[in-house]
Amino acid sequence: MVGFLSGLPAGVPVSLDFVNHELWRRQQGYGRGGRMKIERDTGRILSGVRHGKTIGSPIAVLLENRDWKNWQEQLPVESGDPKLHKRVASPRPGHADLAGALKYNFSEARYVLERASARESAARVAIGALVKLFLRELGVEVLSHVVAVGAARLEREIPWDEIRASCSRDEVMLNCADPEIEPRMKDEVDKVLRTGDSVGGVFEVVAHNVPPGLGTYAQWDERLDAQLAAAVMSLQAVKAVEIGSGVTAAYSPGSAVHDEIGYSGVGFTQFSRTRNNAGGIEGGVSNGQEIRVRGYLKPISTLRRPLQSVDFATREPVKAAYERSDVCVVPAAGVAGEAMVGLTLARCALEKFGGDSMTETCRNFKGYVEQLRAY
Ligand SMILES: Cc1cc2nc3c(=O)[nH]c(=O)nc-3n(C[C@H](O)[C@H](O)[C@H](O)COP(=O)(O)O)c2cc1C
């Protein structure tokens, strides 16, 4: 896979170790399948970075598929031997198999899952690592944690320091910051491992130290919440996105929802809030609080005890195809969610501060921060 990124200013320090660590984080979590054991993703930067820094031109990152060597005869670039082709004979409910085969006029779903698979999210994480390095220069950090796996879920808001501690563990179970809830999440995964089923859940991405003023209410597609929702929803298996406490807000009175304003704070301005139900965005604009975005994942579509389907060739009822698969990917999806939130914030930051070099971008950024302090 090759990921491309264009638009980063020149002079962003790039650490390949950081890129690879982010790729490692995407491969972790209890409930991942066999592929994670075959492959340890590493990125190779092909262009756009020299002497450890971006140079303002497009960046290309190559991620090799180690598993490819086992597939060269089944999926050759050339016409190859059709007898060696491995069909995905019956579409899996919940996957792109049927819709993709109909759309592209394929007689079965092998080519569909090549691209519809969340394998693609590895490229987003590699590119996301680069934008995180850019955001870090502005003091912005983006991390995630797991809020729910199946029926096991957190009932409290997790502060930034606990999220950071959870993300810096060397062994990742389910990236839940609460040590009492995490084993209950593991039980949920064990249950589906026993029964041949799969399980979904909820991750939360938190962007820390984001200045007020990113995004705008001026046009519908420039609203930060709309951009973040589209970015996170674009991840495989994400079926709902929540900003702040948006879901419970819909069932609560206004007095319990809106975050009262004071004037004794520290941060970008003296304005303060007693809570952050808005998830750091009001009117489509960042308000200086932490940005909190949740992604709700449906359970994985490939089941060891498959659901009912139809054979592509005979149209007879059969069980859906089974391929080696994960059963729970909530922590990994959270890491991919960080990349999507990072990309969105970086784009908004560059729209606001501009700059072809980091010297220029940081000078513009500092000028704005001074303006906020003097407000
Ligand atoms: C990180 C990650 C890993 C995934 N791994 C698998 C997998 O191993 N097997 C599978 O069937 N689905 C997996 N999925 C989910 C599918 O990609 C998803 O069900 C499919 O794209 C259809 O969902 P969609 O309609 O949202 O695209 C994974 C999703 C994510 C985010």
Side-chain angles (χ1 to χ4, degrees):
M1 254 184 320
V2 184
F4 289 99
L5 176 66
S6 90
L8 276 193
V12 179
V14 172
S15 148
L16 196 54
D17 284 347
F18 179 72
V19 174
N20 288 336
H21 185 68
E22 292 288 286
L23 290 168
W24 173 83
R25 289 182 61 226
R26 194 198 72 95
Q27 295 191 289
Q28 303 309 300
Y30 190 65
R32 302 307 302 278
R35 183 166 206 156
M36 298 308 123
K37 296 189 187 84
I38 307 171
E39 303 202 51
R40 168 83 202 258
D41 280 328
T42 50
R44 207 173 112 214
I45 296 178
L46 302 178
S47 69
V49 178
R50 291 292 178 262
H51 301 114
K53 288 189 175 172
T54 57
I55 57 172
S57 49
I59 302 170
V61 186
L62 174 76
L63 305 179
E64 236 174 83
N65 261 358
R66 300 238 159 82
D67 199 20
W68 167 237
K69 60 177 183 302
N70 304 320
W71 283 86
Q72 294 190 42
E73 292 193 324
Q74 289 90 339
L75 270 177
V77 176
E78 305 78 22
S79 46
D81 180 355
K83 285 199 287 298
L84 296 174
H85 187 76
K86 262 195 187 167
R87 298 166 68 238
V88 177
S90 49
R92 293 159 300 170
H95 240 298
D97 300 355
L98 180 57
L102 292 171
K103 176 177 169 66
Y104 290 99
N105 198 26
F106 297 142
S107 60
E108 51 86 32
R110 171 62 63 200
Y111 301 151
V112 177
L113 62 87
E114 275 303 297
R115 181 60 182 181
S117 153
R119 170 83 192 125
E120 175 258 338
S121 65
R124 305 198 205 192
V125 168
I127 294 300
L130 299 172
V131 298
K132 278 186 173 191
L133 292 170
F134 162 73
L135 289 169
R136 195 187 266 181
E137 295 297 295
L138 307 182
V140 176
E141 285 178 85
V142 184
L143 289 172
S144 67
H145 67 114
V146 170
V147 169
V149 171
R153 62 178 201 184
L154 282 173
E155 299 290 354
R156 65 181 176 100
E157 184 174 311
I158 302 290
W160 174 252
D161 288 343
E162 285 184 44
I163 297 170
R164 189 154 38 195
S166 182
C167 288
S168 55
R169 287 189 228 154
D170 290 333
E171 285 202 15
V172 181
M173 170 72 75
L174 286 154
N175 194 23
C176 174
D178 188 318
E180 285 189 7
I181 309 291
E182 194 168 49
R184 284 172 35 202
M185 293 180 173
K186 180 174 177 288
D187 289 344
E188 292 286 307
V189 181
D190 283 330
K191 208 170 12 177
V192 295
L193 280 171
R194 275 196 304 275
T195 55
D197 214 320
S198 65
V199 69
V202 183
F203 63 80
E204 181 174 65
V205 179
V206 181
H208 182 72
N209 217 23
V210 178
L214 299 191
T216 174
Y217 42 78
Q219 296 288 358
W220 63 268
D221 56 344
E222 293 172 349
R223 286 179 169 261
L224 183 57
D225 43 5
Q227 293 188 56
L228 287 170
V232 174
M233 184 69 101
S234 78
L235 285 167
Q236 293 83 358
V238 171
K239 291 298 133 205
V241 179
E242 179 181 21
I243 309 279
S245 61
V247 173
T248 40
Y251 305 108
S252 312
S255 56
V257 171
H258 303 300
D259 310 323
E260 287 185 307
I261 300 172
Y263 193 69
S264 59
V266 282
F268 289 98
T269 70
Q270 290 286 306
F271 293 97
S272 61
R273 300 298 178 107
T274 45
R275 60 190 180 201
N276 185 18
N277 284 333
I281 304 170
E282 287 165 306
V285 183
S286 65
N287 65 7
Q289 300 291 106
E290 271 171 1
I291 290 184
R292 290 190 176 242
V293 188
R294 290 180 173 197
Y296 289 65
L297 291 173
K298 68 181 179 185
I300 295 290
S301 327
T302 309
L303 304 182
R304 196 158 44 76
R305 267 206 357 235
L307 295 174
Q308 198 55 43
S309 183
V310 170
D311 189 289
F312 272 117
T314 65
R315 313 292 154 110
E316 292 296 323
V318 287
K319 292 291 179 193
Y322 177 74
E323 296 254 325
R324 177 189 60 208
S325 176
D326 303 321
V327 300
C328 171
V329 295
V330 193
V335 177
E338 293 169 30
M340 297 317 293
V341 169
L343 277 161
T344 307
L345 294 177
R347 191 172 53 219
C348 291
L350 281 167
E351 268 164 21
K352 181 149 178 63
F353 307 117
D356 293 310
S357 70
M358 279 315 283
T359 311
E360 192 181 358
T361 306
C362 289
R363 187 171 61 234
N364 297 345
F365 177 70
K366 272 192 204 131
Y368 176 64
V369 170
E370 279 162 26
Q371 175 191 310
L372 289 173
R373 293 228 170 88
Y375 178 89

